[in-house]
Amino acid sequence: MLRASHALAAAALAALSIASPSVLAADIKIGFLPGVVDPFYQVMQLGVEAAAKDLGVEVVTQVPPTWGVEAQTPILDAMIARGDLSYLITAPVDKDQMIAPLQQAVDAGIKVITVDTFLGDGNYATGPVTFPISYVGSDNVEGGRIAARGLGNALAGKGTVYINSTNPNVSSVEGREQGFIEVMATEFPEIKVIGPDYNLDDLNKAQQQTAAVIEQNPDLKGVFGTNVFSAQGAGTAVQNAGLGGAVQVVAYDATKDAIELMNNGVVSMALAQKPFDMGYLAVEFAVADAKGVTSVPRRVETGFAIIEKSNVTDPNFSRFIYQTK
Ligand code: T6T
């Protein structure tokens, strides 16, 4: 079924062919500034580059080596200083602290599309932040709900579970935590939730934190890792404790490492986001806007593939495992 947002996206792209041809693709230069170096954003970059090639536009990419405002802002400022970018596709690493720096991009004449994460409350139509022309990413609250139901059902509604996450005030993982906690409270009231602990997007820290929680909670039955490095670190800690299968791990993001942990009996569910789609659609929206399309949707949710042992070899699901090249 075509979701309303996808129908809007299709309409925007259909309009692309009849919109003003005055702006040549060669005149459109796009900046791409993701959150950090990791497999999720590497797949997103593949989508950005595929769309750029298909549409004949140039993309300038720079990726922060670590997660944080102090790493992303200097790169943003340098992109603005170039003076030749007309669009910026970016994943703001803090939903509040990146508002002012990105407003400066808009003030310099650069239009902003956020991918994967959003500013403010993510409602760019009527919310507190309306300057981005679109948000393209997952419905992360729903993703957290899916993770909670997967874990809650696997545990038959009993036991203690732990959330290992990255940083506060990041819209994506914050939504996942929110959805997970909401479903555990309303649908699995006998399950005790510990956390979230914040690992600052450092998988070694995630591993150490999870090992400590395992040590302190003999009744631990499940772990939710809210992103690539959280799930990888937590899963490794469970595996190193010899608790694969006894402690179920749900991984947000379907990296090769998460799938390896699944094949080793540690990860029971991996939620694959669609970063390639996010990147591809964001470039299409930038070009559509440049061509005069005025119906670019303010929000597009790209959906999930829920990967489990039962379907991990099914191409309809394994196609969403993050292949970075
Ligand atoms: O989970 C993704 C992304 O959705 C999130 O915003 C930050 O972490 C990842 O990049 C994975 O590392």
Side-chain angles (χ1 to χ4, degrees), residues 100-284:
L102 285 166
Q103 179 67 64
Q104 288 184 5
V106 173
D107 295 346
I110 300 172
K111 291 189 175 182
V112 172
I113 294 172
T114 73
V115 284
D116 173 50
T117 61
F118 56 66
L119 297 171
D121 68 357
N123 176 352
Y124 294 156
T126 60
V129 178
T130 56
F131 64 75
I133 61 176
S134 190
Y135 162 78
V136 186
S138 299
D139 176 349
N140 287 296
V141 176
E142 182 59 20
R145 297 190 186 109
I146 293 169
R149 292 190 179 106
L151 204 46
N153 289 326
L155 301 182
K158 297 195 185 312
T160 298
V161 300
Y162 167 60
I163 305 172
N164 190 264
S165 195
T166 60
N167 295 280
N169 235 44
V170 177
S171 68
S172 53
V173 294
E174 190 174 78
R176 299 165 198 173
E177 296 158 19
Q178 176 192 328
F180 184 88
I181 291 167
E182 169 205 301
V183 163
M184 283 302 181
T186 56
E187 300 179 24
F188 301 99
E190 292 184 47
I191 287 182
K192 177 187 172 188
V193 179
I194 301 173
D197 281 336
Y198 293 114
N199 59 52
L200 309 185
D201 215 22
D202 175 336
L203 77 87
N204 293 316
K205 192 169 178 65
Q207 185 175 336
Q208 292 158 8
Q209 290 169 330
T210 305
V213 167
I214 289 170
E215 187 72 28
Q216 295 153 9
N217 298 272
D219 63 336
L220 187 72
K221 296 291 181 225
V223 179
F224 174 37
T226 67
N227 88 322
V228 165
F229 295 139
S230 308
Q232 190 176 338
T236 302
V238 167
Q239 183 170 261
N240 290 350
L243 292 173
V247 175
Q248 306 264 343
V249 177
V250 170
Y252 214 104
D253 288 314
T255 60
K256 293 177 187 172
D257 290 312
I259 300 307
E260 184 179 344
L261 285 167
M262 180 177 286
N263 293 332
N264 293 343
V266 175
V267 167
S268 56
M269 174 192 283
L271 270 79
Q273 301 187 75
K274 299 186 179 179
F276 182 93
D277 295 14
M278 295 175 199
Y280 197 99
L281 285 172
V283 171
E284 285 188 319

Side-chain angles (χ1 to χ4, degrees), residues 10-21 288 291 293:
L13 300 175
L16 184 59
S17 59
I18 56 173
S20 156
K291 291 282 189 174
V293 169

